[in-house]
Structures are given as C-alpha cells and as structure tokens.
Amino acid sequence: MNHYAIGIGGTGAKCIEALIHLSAAGLMPKGELYVLFVDPDKGNGNIDRAAITLQRYIDLKRIQLGAVDFLKTNISEAKPNVWSPFENEAQPTLDKFFQYNELRESNKAATHLFDVLYSPSEKATTLEKGFRGHPSIGAAVMAETVRLGQGEPWGTFRNRIIQDIRGGTGARIFLFGSIFGGTGASGFPTIATLIRKELAELQQNNQNVPQQENMKLGGMLAMPYFSFLYESQDTEMKAKSENFLINTHTGLKYYYHKTYSNIYDAIYSCGDETQSLVSTASLGGNTQKNEPHFVELYAALSAITFFSEKDPSGFNLIARKQLNQLDWIDLPDGKVGTAIKQKIGQLTRFAFSYLSVYYPMLKAIRENERAYRAPWFIDFFARENISLNNTQTSLDDLKAFCEDFLLWVANLHNSAKEEKINLINWNAFAHVVKEKDGKEKVKLLPSFRLKDFGNLILPSGKEKPNELSRLWEMVCDSKVRDSNSVGIGKFIHALYRESYLKE
C-alpha cells in the first residue's frame, strides 16, 4: 500500500513536518509516502521549514542502514514540491484571476453575481501570500485550477494513484488542513472533491482504470489551536484569530449539511480550547514560521492511523484524560498498533546521544586522529576503511536532522504554556531564550544535560546518571550482521538499535 500526504496551507505544512518526524521514528506502516504541499504562498515559512526537514530525510535515506526503524519509510516529494494556483502570476488578485473587467463587458449577469459574492477588497487584494482567512476566495480559485490530468505535480500524482489501483497494491490519500483559516479551509473540501470526481471520470472514460475500492481518501481537519496578534492595526484584509471560532462554526455547519461521507472515507479532527499565542504574527511569506504545536503531533498520528487501519471510516475525534495535561496515554497508540512512546523515545535518545557524544567525538577524531579513545570507531570506521573526510557530509546531515527533531520535540512541549505536557524531558537539551526583539524562542542548549539522558522519557523514574556511559559500552560491544547495512550505515544502525528504551 502506498500513501499520499497533501499539506494544504501553513497548518497543513506543519502537520507534514510532524509526519516526517514520526516516519523517521519508524511509525509509518509499510509502503512509500508521497508528499505534496499546496499553498498560493510558496514562500511560506512553515512550508520552508517542513521542506528542509523533508529534504534532509531524503538525503539521509540514501545511507544504507539495513533493517532498523530509523528512516525505514521511503519518502518522495512532488516535483515541484509546492503547488500554487498562481504559478505564473506575480501579484494575483481575484478580479484578475477571473478576468473581472472583461466579464463586465460580456456578461453583466455574471458580473452582478460576482459583486454579490465578493466584496471590493476581496476582489482587489493581492493573494500571493495566501487567501488571507477568506476560504470563499480560495474555494473558487482551487476549483478552477486543480486538474489531476494537467500539469505538475498533479499529473504525476494522478498517474501514481492509477498505477497503485491497477497494480492491486492500493493507495491511501490523506489531506491536512485547518477549518478556521483561508487556504486549508478552502482546499480541504475542494481538492478532495476534485480527486474523487476526476478519478471517477477516468473510470467512466477508460475501462482499463479499475474501480476505487482499493483507494481510500482521508483527512485531518484541524480546529483552532493557536492565535496571534498583529503589531500594527491596519485595515488590510488578513486572517484574524478572533474570527477562528466563527469560521469553525460556519465550516462545521457546511460539512454537516454537505455530508462529506461520499467524498472522504474518514475525517479526523482535533484542536485545543487553549489557543496558544504564536510569537510572530505574519501576513505570509518567510516570516510566517509558527512554532510546532502538540496538535500537529495528533494530526500526524491521525494520518498514520488512517494509513494503518484496514477500513478507516467516519468522523473521528479524540480527547485526553485530563484538561490542560497531556500524557503518553492520551496518544492513539491502540489504533496505530505500534508503541508510540517506545519509538519516539528511541529516536529522542538516539538524537540526544549523537549530538552530545558521538558527533563531537567523530569531529575530534577527524581533527586530532586519536581514534583509540573510541573502540566503536575502530570497529565501524577504521576496520571498514571508512574515511571521515568522505563521509562528513552525511554525518553533518544527520546532525542537522537530529537538531531539527529535538527542536520539534521541545517546541511541542513549549507550545501551550498553560498546559502540562508529560512526554519528553526537553529541558535536558533545550531552553527558552529571549531574543533582542523581546520575543521568546526555543533553542538547543550549548551543552546538553548528560546526567538526564537516563530519564529523557517521562514520567521520570529513579535517577540513572550513568545511562549515557552504559550506551557507550553497548555501542562498543555492538555487532551489525545485516548485509543491507553498509558504510557508516552500520554505525548509525548500531547506535540507533542500542538507543532502544528498556523499561
């Protein structure tokens, strides 16, 4: 079974980012994952961060690790990886897009309808930074531009799905979007409808395209979970967090009356009644780079649940045991059928140890050539004739990916300051600093708290101050007898395997 994930808008991109990290932890079921971002704002900072993490994953996947959960899922990205309905327009507006001036001359009835549906500001405001919290604009544009059979990446997207259906492997398609914004709220129903419609038309016109029984369509519809304040109070059209609940109420009524069960096989939804204040409000572009939030962890887990279950269906909600608190027991481990705590914990321990001990040691050996200090280096590098100079790029990429992951974990815990999140002891490797502009930001510590390695995974047990030393000994004694693990893949394989959390 192959899997397809479409992140619509800024929230969709952040959910894709979470899905990449969970894929790195080995939580995805068997099959390839194909990723596509949809946003008129191709320079959106949320997309940029997710795309960088994705590229690092893809680059690291080239290392031959063998049979280990780390990076076990093959992920491919669409080309181009971000699709915009305004591909060739510099400053698109709604009236330009629908040729309002020409329409006014040729079809006055249509012009009057256009004037009734859209205000002057909605017609004239430039849309290169998104639909500015107005899903009515986005829905019209998306319906006009998404064509599975025309252009890229939709042509490849369609062909891959048809191939999966024909081959009998099947395809699972999952969309991420918010109900309260502009791009996600407009794209979530529109793109799903167009996918169903165009595949149905293909089947009617081409007998070689089988029915869609082995294709499932699901999505995560995010409810409000963050808010923001603009520094200037101008009158420019933009998304406003005070409208999120009203937009959500209107959107839910729309879904209720439209009965999307004939479009989506399964819809998942979650939000947070305590809306976290993001550090920087932005109209769009690279400055729209909101911190990761624990709701996006739920969103990614909903996709994994959808990909994993035999027959996902219905409208699915999730709740936690206690208000303003999040524990491992609150994550949907039963539905996914894998040990979420174990796998996220293992990747956390691996990233912590690699950044704090093994990468610095490899750097010191490369600079000083004192390899005898690390018996594991003799086994996995010296005896394998592996040059650190030739592998430095891969080792640096792994460092960057581990930093991305730990920062993502730390931000999940810091995302809702009024809530207690008991998953990872993130204070062992990160802290909150105040920037020059007075805003707070999560950053990795210059030196990790090594004595806390044994209690990274909450709840904390008895102190294990020597746990990192014990891991060192285990890696030194480790043997990798996996013919598919080659080069530095053997070292990474051993370190990841020995980072397994023994409870």
Side-chain angles (χ1 to χ4, degrees):
M1 180 76 70
N2 287 325
H3 313 106
Y4 299 81
I6 303 176
I8 309 170
T11 297
K14 294 176 72 186
C15 294
I16 293 285
E17 179 186 16
L19 183 61
I20 295 167
H21 287 305
L22 296 189
S23 298
L27 281 162
M28 278 287 293
K30 186 179 180 180
E32 185 176 343
L33 176 62
Y34 179 86
V35 171
L36 165 63
F37 299 101
V38 172
D39 202 316
D41 181 9
K42 297 184 75 171
N44 186 302
N46 293 319
I47 292 179
D48 185 54
R49 188 177 63 216
I52 289 172
T53 300
L54 174 58
Q55 189 57 57
R56 285 173 177 159
Y57 184 109
I58 293 172
D59 290 343
L60 286 172
K61 184 63 180 172
R62 298 189 181 101
I63 300 173
Q64 295 175 272
L65 298 174
V68 66
D69 278 345
F70 183 47
L71 307 173
K72 75 173 184 179
T73 299
N74 287 319
I75 303 182
S76 59
E77 60 178 345
K79 302 294 183 184
N81 61 347
V82 184
W83 176 82
S84 166
F86 306 120
E87 200 66 44
N88 301 313
E89 298 182 50
Q91 290 187 313
T93 62
L94 192 64
D95 55 3
K96 287 181 183 178
F97 184 80
F98 285 104
Q99 300 179 326
Y100 177 78
N101 290 332
E102 291 82 353
L103 192 65
R104 189 163 48 187
E105 299 295 328
S106 61
N107 193 333
K108 291 187 177 181
T111 303
H112 290 320
L113 178 60
F114 201 74
D115 291 336
V116 169
L117 292 174
Y118 299 102
S119 67
S121 62
E122 287 178 318
K123 288 182 288 187
T125 300
T126 58
L127 303 173
E128 74 277 4
K129 290 187 177 181
F131 297 123
R132 299 172 180 261
H134 288 241
S136 59
I137 298 175
V141 173
M142 294 280 191
E144 187 68 19
T145 53
V146 176
R147 295 289 182 270
L148 264 66
Q150 301 174 16
E152 292 297 348
W154 297 113
T156 297
F157 174 80
R158 180 199 64 172
N159 292 338
R160 287 174 62 108
I161 291 172
I162 291 175
Q163 184 176 354
D164 290 340
I165 295 173
R166 281 176 175 164
T169 59
R172 296 280 175 98
I173 307 167
F174 198 87
L175 280 63
F176 295 100
S178 69
I179 196 173
F180 53 87
T183 303
S186 61
F188 190 84
T190 307
I191 293 176
T193 300
L194 292 172
I195 290 173
R196 282 288 191 201
K197 180 180 177 182
E198 296 203 24
L199 285 176
E201 289 177 355
L202 278 172
Q203 289 166 346
Q204 292 175 0
N205 300 327
N206 187 345
Q207 294 182 354
N208 293 324
V209 180
Q211 295 299 310
Q212 299 178 33
E213 285 84 0
N214 59 347
M215 188 203 82
K216 296 288 184 180
L217 184 60
M220 157 53 70
L221 191 59
M223 302 296 172
Y225 64 95
F226 64 85
S227 63
F228 47 78
L229 296 173
Y230 291 104
E231 294 180 353
S232 61
Q233 299 299 318
D234 56 65
T235 59
E236 185 177 2
M237 189 178 77
K238 54 193 173 186
K240 298 179 180 179
S241 53
E242 58 263 34
N243 295 331
F244 283 176
L245 291 179
I246 297 173
N247 293 349
T248 299
H249 180 261
T250 304
L252 288 175
K253 286 178 65 177
Y254 170 80
Y255 282 94
Y256 174 77
H257 290 296
K258 279 289 186 178
T259 313
Y260 262 76
S261 58
N262 61 335
I263 302 297
Y264 279 100
D265 294 291
I267 293 179
Y268 304 79
S269 189
C270 68
D272 189 27
E273 65 176 20
T274 303
Q275 296 182 27
S276 304
L277 184 66
V278 301
S279 60
T280 303
S282 172
L283 282 175
N286 190 257
T287 58
Q288 187 179 338
K289 190 177 289 186
N290 303 336
E291 301 85 353
H293 194 283
F294 72 82
V295 165
E296 294 139 24
L297 169 63
Y298 274 103
L301 287 171
S302 73
I304 293 172
T305 299
F306 174 79
F307 293 146
S308 303
E309 289 188 334
K310 182 179 180 180
D311 189 23
S313 62
F315 197 99
N316 303 270
L317 299 171
I318 195 165
R320 48 188 166 175
K321 188 176 181 180
Q322 296 185 49
L323 184 66
N324 297 331
Q325 184 169 320
L326 178 65
D327 300 287
W328 289 107
I329 196 173
D330 297 314
L331 301 180
D333 193 63
K335 278 191 173 184
V336 176
T338 45
I340 295 173
K341 178 180 178 181
Q342 186 63 256
K343 291 185 181 296
I344 294 178
Q346 185 174 5
L347 181 51
T348 302
R349 286 164 57 91
F350 169 81
F352 183 104
S353 63
Y354 181 75
L355 292 176
S356 62
V357 175
Y358 295 90
Y359 181 84
M361 177 59 70
L362 288 168
K363 181 180 179 181
I365 291 173
R366 184 166 63 89
E367 294 173 353
N368 302 320
E369 298 183 358
R370 296 166 63 186
Y372 65 86
R373 293 189 298 163
W376 52 265
F377 179 84
I378 303 299
D379 289 338
F380 294 114
F381 289 84
R383 288 176 180 167
E384 298 286 336
N385 293 319
I386 295 174
S387 167
L388 286 180
N389 290 328
N390 294 336
T391 59
Q392 193 60 42
T393 298
S394 295
L395 294 171
D396 289 344
D397 287 344
L398 181 58
K399 173 180 178 287
F401 189 85
C402 289
E403 290 171 341
D404 287 346
F405 175 73
L406 292 185
L407 277 173
W408 177 75
V409 168
N411 273 293
L412 294 187
H413 289 73
N414 194 58
S415 59
K417 294 179 175 57
E418 300 83 2
E419 306 187 42
K420 187 177 182 181
I421 301 178
N422 302 313
L423 303 179
I424 303 292
N425 177 18
W426 66 278
N427 294 294
F429 51 81
H431 62 157
V432 178
V433 298
K434 188 165 285 189
E435 304 277 67
K436 290 181 180 179
D437 57 6
K439 294 174 181 176
E440 294 184 339
K441 185 175 183 179
V442 174
K443 290 189 175 182
L444 295 180
L445 290 168
S447 298
F448 290 2
R449 287 162 36 184
L450 303 185
K451 65 181 180 60
D452 291 337
F453 177 75
N455 284 301
L456 283 177
I457 317 306
L458 299 176
S460 298
K462 63 180 181 179
E463 290 190 8
K464 301 176 183 177
N466 300 317
E467 184 69 7
L468 204 51
S469 297
R470 191 176 74 88
L471 175 63
W472 175 282
E473 294 173 359
M474 293 168 63
V475 175
C476 289
D477 293 337
S478 185
K479 305 295 181 184
V480 177
R481 297 182 177 88
D482 186 335
S483 60
N484 293 316
S485 185
V486 179
I488 64 169
K490 284 190 175 183
F491 161 68
I492 298 171
H493 180 122
L495 179 57
Y496 195 83
R497 185 181 65 197
E498 303 304 340
S499 296
Y500 184 82
L501 180 65
K502 297 179 175 61
E503 296 188 81

